[in-house]
Amino acid sequence: MPSTVVAQMIYNEEKQTLRIVYVSGMVYDYKNVPWEVYQAMKASGSKGTFLNKHIKGNFEFEKVE
């Protein structure tokens, strides 16, 4: 999953939370992300583009310290 933006994606199916670890080291949890959206992001050619188009602005989030 090489990406210039996303270092790691962790999905908690029970809580429907998608944790994104950015290459910069920042970590965010996006809430109420459906399994299908996570699967589509995993399958996408560009994780950063998918994140910007389909995750950011569409789901509540919080920064993880």
Side-chain angles (χ1 to χ4, degrees):
M1 182 199 94
S3 171
T4 57
V5 177
V6 178
Q8 189 176 13
M9 301 183 317
I10 304 158
Y11 187 74
N12 182 318
E13 192 171 355
E14 185 178 311
K15 294 182 179 178
Q16 287 194 316
T17 300
L18 176 59
R19 176 165 288 182
I20 300 292
V21 180
Y22 289 88
V23 172
S24 68
M26 294 177 49
V27 181
Y28 285 86
D29 282 347
Y30 293 89
K31 311 215 179 255
N32 300 311
V33 177
W35 172 253
E36 296 77 17
V37 173
Y38 167 64
Q39 289 298 313
M41 184 169 176
K42 272 181 45 174
S44 72
S46 171
K47 307 302 184 246
T49 299
F50 188 95
L51 182 70
N52 287 328
K53 282 187 176 180
H54 303 286
I55 305 291
K56 287 183 176 181
N58 293 314
F59 298 97
E60 286 186 42
F61 65 91
E62 67 180 19
K63 186 175 181 183
V64 178
E65 298 298 331

